[in-house]
Amino acid sequence: MDECIIQLEHATVRRAGVPILDDVSFQVRRNEHVAIIGPNGAGKSTLVQLLSEEIHPLYSPQTKRILFGKAKWEVLSLRAHLGIVSQSLQYLCNSSYKGWEIVASGFFSSIGLDFHHHCTEQQMQKMEEVMHRYDTWHLRDKQMNRMSSGEARRILLARANVHDPQVMLLDEAVSNLDFPSRSQYRSTLEQLDREGKTIILATHELSEIIPAINRIVVMQHGKIVADGSKQEVLNERLLSEVYQTKVFIDEREGLYSAWC
């Protein structure tokens, strides 16, 4: 069995005294793909931010956060193991930086390149190779704030992979994408699977969950209320309870969709 590379035990996060995550435990093994679903405010993004150490849990003797075998990390060192794509990151990258500058900035965990960022020849070659692999090379000289949402999201996926991370953390990454862009995005997820990445996907769109993602974690009110295979978890009774409205589910060619 593959080793456990992410271990979170009894983690609680509060904001203004209100628990956003409430005593959550969550583990992921190498090469395991997980989709985290739930209504807005369920705690999905907060859980992802805990895994990337953007935020920290309240102290408790029971609380553990062990990432890639270590309990303590320098953030920049941890970033070398993680590829992150999120709506908030896309907002930060909505700038006059060109596509290639955003992709290359993944080497430095920065937003774009500044005067003190100097890419080596090897890094420039790696940046070009990754942009070709994710079909973004034609966007290399286009400013981020002139790209469509789909184009910008693909640039961020290239940025997230430029340092060859072990784990991809994807938070609501198809939001505001049209149907062709979503299809292209799913193709990219399938490519990540073929490349041996571990995928952790937080989403409210079941259509984003590619067939290779078989484990589903359901969150509600800051807690994990279900954790299992798609066949076990993606059922109308459970999701209707979680979303507190009647939910209908359809499955076609390994892809799921839901509507109310």
Side-chain angles (χ1 to χ4, degrees):
M1 184 177 290
D2 289 321
E3 65 175 312
C4 184
I5 56 175
I6 289 176
Q7 182 180 4
L8 195 64
E9 299 288 346
H10 301 291
T12 295
V13 176
R14 288 196 179 98
R15 290 179 187 153
V18 178
I20 307 300
L21 280 188
D22 189 3
D23 194 30
V24 166
S25 296
F26 176 73
Q27 298 82 32
V28 179
R29 295 189 175 277
R30 188 180 304 279
N31 298 320
E32 182 178 31
H33 303 326
V34 186
I36 306 168
I37 67 172
N40 291 338
K44 303 186 297 296
S45 293
T46 303
L47 177 55
V48 170
Q49 290 169 343
L50 266 185
L51 302 181
S52 64
E53 293 202 352
E54 292 179 57
I55 60 176
H56 302 281
L58 290 176
Y59 171 76
S60 162
Q62 293 181 299
T63 300
K64 291 182 182 178
R65 179 172 55 182
I66 300 174
L67 307 174
F68 309 102
K70 291 173 58 176
K72 292 184 179 180
W73 283 91
E74 292 182 356
V75 173
L76 288 180
S77 297
L78 177 62
R79 291 290 187 272
H81 295 269
L82 299 172
I84 302 171
V85 179
S86 66
Q87 279 187 285
S88 59
L89 179 60
Q90 182 165 338
Y91 176 79
L92 290 173
C93 290
N94 185 33
S95 64
S96 60
Y97 283 116
K98 295 177 181 179
W100 77 266
E101 294 174 309
I102 291 295
V103 175
S105 71
F107 290 118
F108 310 102
S109 295
S110 62
I111 305 299
L113 300 177
D114 210 337
F115 66 92
H116 59 280
H117 295 131
H118 301 287
C119 290
T120 65
E121 182 178 348
Q122 185 178 15
Q123 287 173 327
M124 291 296 288
Q125 290 175 348
K126 178 68 173 178
M127 176 270 295
E128 182 175 345
E129 182 267 318
V130 169
M131 290 191 76
H132 278 295
R133 194 193 321 159
Y134 289 94
D135 192 26
T136 56
W137 185 240
H138 64 289
L139 299 171
R140 61 190 179 277
D141 291 324
K142 190 171 184 179
Q143 292 179 189
M144 289 293 292
N145 55 14
R146 295 188 176 182
M147 293 185 192
S148 69
S149 292
E151 289 173 336
R153 209 63 55 92
R154 284 157 57 202
I155 287 289
L156 292 184
L157 281 164
R159 177 187 182 274
N161 279 279
V162 78
H163 57 280
D164 197 25
Q166 296 180 52
V167 174
M168 292 296 297
L169 287 176
L170 308 172
D171 185 13
E172 304 288 8
V174 300
S175 298
N176 303 319
L177 299 190
D178 59 19
F179 288 138
S181 296
R182 290 187 184 196
S183 177
Q184 198 166 38
Y185 180 77
R186 283 198 302 270
S187 296
T188 302
L189 294 186
E190 290 164 354
Q191 182 174 336
L192 294 173
D193 170 54
R194 291 192 296 271
E195 292 173 1
K197 309 294 187 189
T198 298
I199 300 172
I200 301 175
L201 176 74
T203 184
H204 62 271
E205 291 284 350
L206 298 191
S207 61
E208 188 181 353
I209 302 172
I210 61 173
I213 299 176
N214 191 50
R215 179 182 166 197
I216 308 294
V217 169
V218 184
M219 298 193 69
Q220 183 184 35
H221 305 314
K223 291 180 176 290
I224 292 176
V225 296
D227 185 347
S229 70
K230 282 187 284 197
Q231 293 73 21
E232 295 171 327
V233 174
L234 295 183
N235 67 78
E236 294 178 352
R237 179 194 58 78
L238 173 61
L239 295 192
S240 294
E241 290 179 1
V242 169
Y243 286 88
Q244 298 183 338
T245 189
K246 181 61 177 176
V247 175
F248 302 94
I249 297 177
D250 187 26
E251 182 270 328
R252 298 188 183 189
E253 298 180 353
L255 294 175
Y256 287 76
S257 59
W259 68 96
C260 297

